[in-house]
Structures are given as C-alpha cells and as structure tokens.
Short mmCIF file of all heavy atoms in Angstrom, two decimals:
data_model
loop_
_atom_site.label_atom_id
_atom_site.label_comp_id
_atom_site.label_asym_id
_atom_site.label_seq_id
_atom_site.Cartn_x
_atom_site.Cartn_y
_atom_site.Cartn_z
N GLY A 103 0.85 -1.17 0.00
CA GLY A 103 0.00 0.00 0.00
C GLY A 103 0.89 1.23 0.00
O GLY A 103 2.01 1.21 -0.53
N MET A 104 0.45 2.29 0.62
CA MET A 104 1.23 3.53 0.65
C MET A 104 2.09 3.67 1.90
O MET A 104 3.15 4.27 1.86
CB MET A 104 0.30 4.74 0.53
CG MET A 104 -0.35 4.89 -0.84
SD MET A 104 0.82 5.35 -2.13
CE MET A 104 1.14 7.06 -1.70
N GLY A 105 1.62 3.13 3.02
CA GLY A 105 2.37 3.29 4.25
C GLY A 105 2.64 4.75 4.52
O GLY A 105 1.73 5.59 4.47
N THR A 106 3.90 5.08 4.77
CA THR A 106 4.28 6.47 5.01
C THR A 106 4.79 7.16 3.74
O THR A 106 5.24 8.30 3.80
CB THR A 106 5.38 6.56 6.10
OG1 THR A 106 6.53 5.81 5.67
CG2 THR A 106 4.87 6.00 7.42
N LEU A 107 4.73 6.46 2.62
CA LEU A 107 5.16 7.07 1.35
C LEU A 107 4.16 8.12 0.90
O LEU A 107 2.95 7.96 1.09
CB LEU A 107 5.29 6.00 0.27
CG LEU A 107 6.30 4.87 0.50
CD1 LEU A 107 6.19 3.82 -0.61
CD2 LEU A 107 7.71 5.42 0.58
N GLY A 108 4.66 9.17 0.30
CA GLY A 108 3.78 10.19 -0.27
C GLY A 108 3.70 10.04 -1.77
O GLY A 108 4.54 9.37 -2.39
N PRO A 109 2.71 10.65 -2.42
CA PRO A 109 2.57 10.54 -3.88
C PRO A 109 3.83 10.95 -4.63
O PRO A 109 4.15 10.37 -5.66
CB PRO A 109 1.40 11.49 -4.18
CG PRO A 109 0.60 11.52 -2.92
CD PRO A 109 1.61 11.42 -1.81
N SER A 110 4.57 11.92 -4.11
CA SER A 110 5.77 12.38 -4.80
C SER A 110 6.92 11.38 -4.69
O SER A 110 7.92 11.49 -5.42
CB SER A 110 6.23 13.73 -4.25
OG SER A 110 6.57 13.62 -2.88
N ASP A 111 6.80 10.41 -3.79
CA ASP A 111 7.85 9.39 -3.63
C ASP A 111 7.75 8.29 -4.67
O ASP A 111 8.69 7.50 -4.84
CB ASP A 111 7.76 8.74 -2.24
CG ASP A 111 7.94 9.73 -1.11
OD1 ASP A 111 8.80 10.62 -1.25
OD2 ASP A 111 7.23 9.60 -0.09
N ILE A 112 6.59 8.19 -5.35
CA ILE A 112 6.29 7.04 -6.19
C ILE A 112 6.23 7.43 -7.66
O ILE A 112 5.60 8.42 -8.03
CB ILE A 112 4.94 6.41 -5.76
CG1 ILE A 112 5.06 5.89 -4.32
CG2 ILE A 112 4.54 5.28 -6.69
CD1 ILE A 112 3.75 5.48 -3.72
N MET A 113 6.88 6.65 -8.49
CA MET A 113 6.88 6.88 -9.93
C MET A 113 5.56 6.42 -10.54
O MET A 113 5.16 5.27 -10.33
CB MET A 113 8.03 6.12 -10.59
CG MET A 113 9.42 6.56 -10.16
SD MET A 113 9.80 8.26 -10.67
CE MET A 113 9.48 9.18 -9.16
N PRO A 114 4.84 7.28 -11.26
CA PRO A 114 3.58 6.86 -11.88
C PRO A 114 3.82 5.82 -12.97
O PRO A 114 4.77 5.92 -13.76
CB PRO A 114 3.04 8.16 -12.49
CG PRO A 114 3.77 9.26 -11.79
CD PRO A 114 5.12 8.70 -11.47
N ALA A 115 2.98 4.79 -12.99
CA ALA A 115 3.05 3.76 -14.04
C ALA A 115 2.53 4.33 -15.36
O ALA A 115 1.68 5.23 -15.37
CB ALA A 115 2.23 2.55 -13.63
N GLN A 116 3.05 3.82 -16.45
CA GLN A 116 2.58 4.22 -17.79
C GLN A 116 1.33 3.39 -18.10
O GLN A 116 1.36 2.42 -18.85
CB GLN A 116 3.70 4.00 -18.81
CG GLN A 116 4.87 4.93 -18.60
CD GLN A 116 6.09 4.58 -19.43
OE1 GLN A 116 7.15 4.30 -18.89
NE2 GLN A 116 5.95 4.60 -20.75
N VAL A 117 0.22 3.82 -17.51
CA VAL A 117 -0.99 3.01 -17.52
C VAL A 117 -1.62 2.86 -18.91
O VAL A 117 -2.48 2.01 -19.11
CB VAL A 117 -2.05 3.57 -16.54
CG1 VAL A 117 -1.60 3.40 -15.10
CG2 VAL A 117 -2.35 5.04 -16.83
N GLU A 118 -1.16 3.67 -19.88
CA GLU A 118 -1.70 3.49 -21.23
C GLU A 118 -1.33 2.11 -21.78
O GLU A 118 -1.94 1.63 -22.74
CB GLU A 118 -1.18 4.58 -22.16
CG GLU A 118 0.33 4.63 -22.36
CD GLU A 118 1.05 5.51 -21.35
OE1 GLU A 118 0.53 5.68 -20.22
OE2 GLU A 118 2.14 6.02 -21.69
N PHE A 119 -0.32 1.46 -21.16
CA PHE A 119 0.06 0.10 -21.55
C PHE A 119 -0.32 -0.91 -20.47
O PHE A 119 0.22 -2.01 -20.43
CB PHE A 119 1.57 0.02 -21.77
CG PHE A 119 2.09 0.94 -22.84
CD1 PHE A 119 2.85 2.06 -22.51
CD2 PHE A 119 1.82 0.70 -24.18
CE1 PHE A 119 3.35 2.91 -23.49
CE2 PHE A 119 2.31 1.54 -25.16
CZ PHE A 119 3.07 2.65 -24.82
N GLY A 120 -1.22 -0.53 -19.58
CA GLY A 120 -1.51 -1.35 -18.42
C GLY A 120 -2.07 -2.72 -18.74
O GLY A 120 -2.65 -2.96 -19.80
N ALA A 121 -1.88 -3.64 -17.79
CA ALA A 121 -2.41 -4.99 -17.93
C ALA A 121 -3.93 -4.97 -17.90
O ALA A 121 -4.55 -4.04 -17.37
CB ALA A 121 -1.87 -5.88 -16.82
N VAL A 122 -4.52 -6.01 -18.46
CA VAL A 122 -5.98 -6.09 -18.54
C VAL A 122 -6.62 -5.96 -17.17
O VAL A 122 -7.61 -5.25 -16.99
CB VAL A 122 -6.40 -7.41 -19.21
CG1 VAL A 122 -7.91 -7.58 -19.15
CG2 VAL A 122 -5.91 -7.47 -20.65
N GLU A 123 -6.04 -6.66 -16.18
CA GLU A 123 -6.64 -6.63 -14.83
C GLU A 123 -6.54 -5.28 -14.17
O GLU A 123 -7.21 -5.01 -13.17
CB GLU A 123 -6.00 -7.71 -13.95
CG GLU A 123 -4.56 -7.48 -13.58
CD GLU A 123 -3.58 -8.10 -14.56
OE1 GLU A 123 -3.99 -8.47 -15.68
OE2 GLU A 123 -2.39 -8.18 -14.20
N SER A 124 -5.70 -4.37 -14.71
CA SER A 124 -5.60 -3.02 -14.16
C SER A 124 -6.34 -2.00 -15.01
O SER A 124 -6.20 -0.80 -14.82
CB SER A 124 -4.13 -2.61 -14.05
OG SER A 124 -3.57 -2.38 -15.33
N GLY A 125 -7.12 -2.48 -15.94
CA GLY A 125 -7.90 -1.59 -16.79
C GLY A 125 -7.38 -1.45 -18.20
O GLY A 125 -8.04 -0.87 -19.06
N GLY A 126 -6.16 -1.94 -18.44
CA GLY A 126 -5.59 -1.92 -19.78
C GLY A 126 -5.45 -0.54 -20.37
O GLY A 126 -5.40 -0.37 -21.59
N GLY A 127 -5.38 0.49 -19.53
CA GLY A 127 -5.23 1.85 -20.02
C GLY A 127 -6.52 2.49 -20.49
O GLY A 127 -6.49 3.60 -21.05
N SER A 128 -7.65 1.85 -20.27
CA SER A 128 -8.92 2.40 -20.73
C SER A 128 -9.30 3.64 -19.93
O SER A 128 -8.94 3.79 -18.76
CB SER A 128 -10.04 1.35 -20.61
OG SER A 128 -10.27 1.04 -19.25
N GLU A 129 -10.04 4.53 -20.58
CA GLU A 129 -10.43 5.79 -19.94
C GLU A 129 -11.30 5.55 -18.70
O GLU A 129 -11.18 6.26 -17.70
CB GLU A 129 -11.19 6.66 -20.95
CG GLU A 129 -11.47 8.07 -20.46
CD GLU A 129 -10.21 8.89 -20.18
OE1 GLU A 129 -9.21 8.71 -20.92
OE2 GLU A 129 -10.22 9.68 -19.23
N ASP A 130 -12.16 4.52 -18.75
CA ASP A 130 -13.08 4.30 -17.63
C ASP A 130 -12.41 3.61 -16.43
O ASP A 130 -13.06 3.36 -15.42
CB ASP A 130 -14.31 3.51 -18.08
CG ASP A 130 -13.98 2.12 -18.62
OD1 ASP A 130 -12.79 1.75 -18.61
OD2 ASP A 130 -14.91 1.42 -19.06
N SER A 131 -11.11 3.29 -16.54
CA SER A 131 -10.42 2.68 -15.41
C SER A 131 -9.58 3.68 -14.62
O SER A 131 -8.85 3.29 -13.71
CB SER A 131 -9.51 1.54 -15.90
OG SER A 131 -8.44 2.05 -16.67
N ARG A 132 -9.71 4.96 -14.95
CA ARG A 132 -8.85 5.97 -14.30
C ARG A 132 -8.98 6.01 -12.79
O ARG A 132 -8.02 6.32 -12.09
CB ARG A 132 -9.19 7.37 -14.86
CG ARG A 132 -8.91 7.54 -16.34
CD ARG A 132 -7.43 7.66 -16.62
NE ARG A 132 -7.15 7.73 -18.04
CZ ARG A 132 -5.99 8.08 -18.55
NH1 ARG A 132 -5.01 8.42 -17.73
NH2 ARG A 132 -5.80 8.09 -19.85
N THR A 133 -10.17 5.68 -12.27
CA THR A 133 -10.35 5.75 -10.82
C THR A 133 -9.88 4.50 -10.10
O THR A 133 -9.90 4.46 -8.87
CB THR A 133 -11.83 6.01 -10.46
OG1 THR A 133 -12.61 4.87 -10.83
CG2 THR A 133 -12.35 7.25 -11.15
N TRP A 134 -9.47 3.46 -10.86
CA TRP A 134 -9.02 2.23 -10.19
C TRP A 134 -7.80 1.59 -10.84
O TRP A 134 -7.40 0.49 -10.48
CB TRP A 134 -10.17 1.22 -10.10
CG TRP A 134 -10.85 0.86 -11.40
CD1 TRP A 134 -11.94 1.47 -11.94
CD2 TRP A 134 -10.50 -0.21 -12.31
NE1 TRP A 134 -12.30 0.86 -13.12
CE2 TRP A 134 -11.43 -0.18 -13.37
CE3 TRP A 134 -9.51 -1.18 -12.31
CZ2 TRP A 134 -11.41 -1.08 -14.43
CZ3 TRP A 134 -9.47 -2.09 -13.38
CH2 TRP A 134 -10.41 -2.04 -14.41
N ASP A 135 -7.16 2.30 -11.76
CA ASP A 135 -5.97 1.72 -12.40
C ASP A 135 -4.77 1.79 -11.46
O ASP A 135 -4.88 2.20 -10.30
CB ASP A 135 -5.70 2.37 -13.76
CG ASP A 135 -5.28 3.84 -13.66
OD1 ASP A 135 -4.89 4.31 -12.57
OD2 ASP A 135 -5.35 4.54 -14.69
N TRP A 136 -3.60 1.41 -11.94
CA TRP A 136 -2.40 1.35 -11.10
C TRP A 136 -2.03 2.68 -10.46
O TRP A 136 -1.42 2.70 -9.39
CB TRP A 136 -1.21 0.85 -11.93
CG TRP A 136 -1.21 -0.62 -12.17
CD1 TRP A 136 -1.70 -1.60 -11.36
CD2 TRP A 136 -0.65 -1.30 -13.30
NE1 TRP A 136 -1.49 -2.84 -11.91
CE2 TRP A 136 -0.84 -2.68 -13.10
CE3 TRP A 136 0.00 -0.86 -14.46
CZ2 TRP A 136 -0.41 -3.64 -14.02
CZ3 TRP A 136 0.43 -1.81 -15.37
CH2 TRP A 136 0.22 -3.19 -15.16
N ASN A 137 -2.39 3.79 -11.09
CA ASN A 137 -2.02 5.10 -10.55
C ASN A 137 -3.09 5.70 -9.64
O ASN A 137 -2.87 6.76 -9.07
CB ASN A 137 -1.74 6.09 -11.70
CG ASN A 137 -0.44 5.77 -12.42
OD1 ASN A 137 0.45 5.14 -11.87
ND2 ASN A 137 -0.34 6.22 -13.66
N SER A 138 -4.20 5.06 -9.52
CA SER A 138 -5.30 5.63 -8.74
C SER A 138 -5.01 5.53 -7.24
O SER A 138 -4.38 4.58 -6.78
CB SER A 138 -6.61 4.89 -9.04
OG SER A 138 -6.55 3.54 -8.58
N PRO A 139 -5.48 6.51 -6.46
CA PRO A 139 -5.35 6.41 -5.01
C PRO A 139 -5.95 5.12 -4.46
O PRO A 139 -5.41 4.53 -3.51
CB PRO A 139 -6.10 7.65 -4.50
CG PRO A 139 -5.99 8.64 -5.62
CD PRO A 139 -6.07 7.80 -6.88
N PHE A 140 -7.05 4.67 -5.06
CA PHE A 140 -7.67 3.42 -4.60
C PHE A 140 -6.67 2.27 -4.65
O PHE A 140 -6.47 1.56 -3.66
CB PHE A 140 -8.89 3.09 -5.47
CG PHE A 140 -9.31 1.64 -5.36
CD1 PHE A 140 -9.91 1.16 -4.21
CD2 PHE A 140 -9.06 0.75 -6.41
CE1 PHE A 140 -10.27 -0.18 -4.10
CE2 PHE A 140 -9.41 -0.59 -6.31
CZ PHE A 140 -10.02 -1.06 -5.15
N TRP A 141 -6.04 2.07 -5.81
CA TRP A 141 -5.15 0.92 -5.94
C TRP A 141 -3.87 1.10 -5.14
O TRP A 141 -3.37 0.16 -4.50
CB TRP A 141 -4.81 0.66 -7.40
CG TRP A 141 -3.98 -0.58 -7.56
CD1 TRP A 141 -2.65 -0.65 -7.85
CD2 TRP A 141 -4.41 -1.92 -7.37
NE1 TRP A 141 -2.23 -1.96 -7.86
CE2 TRP A 141 -3.30 -2.76 -7.57
CE3 TRP A 141 -5.65 -2.50 -7.04
CZ2 TRP A 141 -3.38 -4.15 -7.46
CZ3 TRP A 141 -5.72 -3.89 -6.94
CH2 TRP A 141 -4.60 -4.69 -7.14
N ARG A 142 -3.33 2.31 -5.13
CA ARG A 142 -2.10 2.57 -4.41
C ARG A 142 -2.26 2.27 -2.92
O ARG A 142 -1.35 1.78 -2.26
CB ARG A 142 -1.68 4.03 -4.58
CG ARG A 142 -1.34 4.45 -6.00
CD ARG A 142 -0.01 3.95 -6.46
NE ARG A 142 0.40 4.50 -7.74
CZ ARG A 142 1.52 4.21 -8.37
NH1 ARG A 142 2.37 3.35 -7.81
NH2 ARG A 142 1.82 4.75 -9.54
N GLU A 143 -3.42 2.58 -2.38
CA GLU A 143 -3.63 2.44 -0.94
C GLU A 143 -4.19 1.08 -0.53
O GLU A 143 -4.11 0.71 0.64
CB GLU A 143 -4.57 3.55 -0.46
CG GLU A 143 -3.96 4.95 -0.59
CD GLU A 143 -4.97 6.07 -0.43
OE1 GLU A 143 -6.14 5.76 -0.13
OE2 GLU A 143 -4.60 7.24 -0.61
N LEU A 144 -4.76 0.33 -1.48
CA LEU A 144 -5.42 -0.94 -1.15
C LEU A 144 -4.47 -1.92 -0.48
O LEU A 144 -4.86 -2.63 0.46
CB LEU A 144 -6.02 -1.56 -2.40
CG LEU A 144 -6.79 -2.87 -2.21
CD1 LEU A 144 -8.04 -2.65 -1.35
CD2 LEU A 144 -7.17 -3.48 -3.56
N GLY A 145 -3.25 -1.97 -0.95
CA GLY A 145 -2.29 -2.92 -0.37
C GLY A 145 -2.57 -4.35 -0.77
O GLY A 145 -2.47 -5.27 0.06
N ALA A 146 -2.90 -4.56 -2.04
CA ALA A 146 -3.15 -5.93 -2.52
C ALA A 146 -1.89 -6.76 -2.34
O ALA A 146 -0.84 -6.42 -2.90
CB ALA A 146 -3.55 -5.90 -4.00
N PRO A 147 -1.95 -7.84 -1.58
CA PRO A 147 -0.72 -8.61 -1.31
C PRO A 147 -0.15 -9.29 -2.54
O PRO A 147 1.00 -9.72 -2.53
CB PRO A 147 -1.17 -9.64 -0.25
CG PRO A 147 -2.65 -9.70 -0.36
CD PRO A 147 -3.10 -8.35 -0.81
N TRP A 148 -0.96 -9.36 -3.60
CA TRP A 148 -0.46 -9.99 -4.83
C TRP A 148 0.17 -8.99 -5.79
O TRP A 148 0.83 -9.39 -6.73
CB TRP A 148 -1.60 -10.73 -5.53
CG TRP A 148 -2.66 -9.85 -6.13
CD1 TRP A 148 -2.66 -9.29 -7.37
CD2 TRP A 148 -3.88 -9.42 -5.51
NE1 TRP A 148 -3.80 -8.55 -7.58
CE2 TRP A 148 -4.58 -8.62 -6.45
CE3 TRP A 148 -4.47 -9.65 -4.26
CZ2 TRP A 148 -5.82 -8.03 -6.17
CZ3 TRP A 148 -5.71 -9.08 -4.00
CH2 TRP A 148 -6.36 -8.28 -4.94
N GLY A 149 -0.02 -7.68 -5.56
CA GLY A 149 0.53 -6.74 -6.54
C GLY A 149 0.55 -5.29 -6.12
O GLY A 149 0.83 -4.43 -6.95
#
C-alpha cells in the first residue's frame, strides 16, 4: 500500500500500456488503475 510514502515518492506507471486486470489503459479505469489512489492504498498482497 502507501504506508508512510507520499505521492511524490512514487513513480507513476505508464498506464496506457496497463495490464488487462488493471484496466488496460482504458479511460473508464482511471479511478481504479495502477495510478489511482484506490489501488495505491489498497495494499493488494499480490501486486
């Protein structure tokens, strides 16, 4: 997840090439893709 890291500490992923499970760079996945606060903070143990 984010822990004590801030947004400026983390390099944004090039989500236009994102994997299918992360939205594949589609416009409608902006709120849950790899760069979204939701995904960054979720702390998915697999990714």
Side-chain angles (χ1 to χ4, degrees):
M104 290 291 287
T106 59
L107 299 174
S110 62
D111 299 321
I112 297 170
M113 296 295 99
Q116 293 169 241
V117 292
E118 62 270 27
F119 300 109
V122 173
E123 68 269 15
S124 71
S128 65
E129 188 63 35
D130 61 2
S131 67
R132 296 285 176 167
T133 67
W134 54 269
D135 67 16
W136 283 329
N137 289 337
S138 66
F140 161 72
W141 184 254
R142 297 285 188 180
E143 295 166 5
L144 182 65
W148 69 88

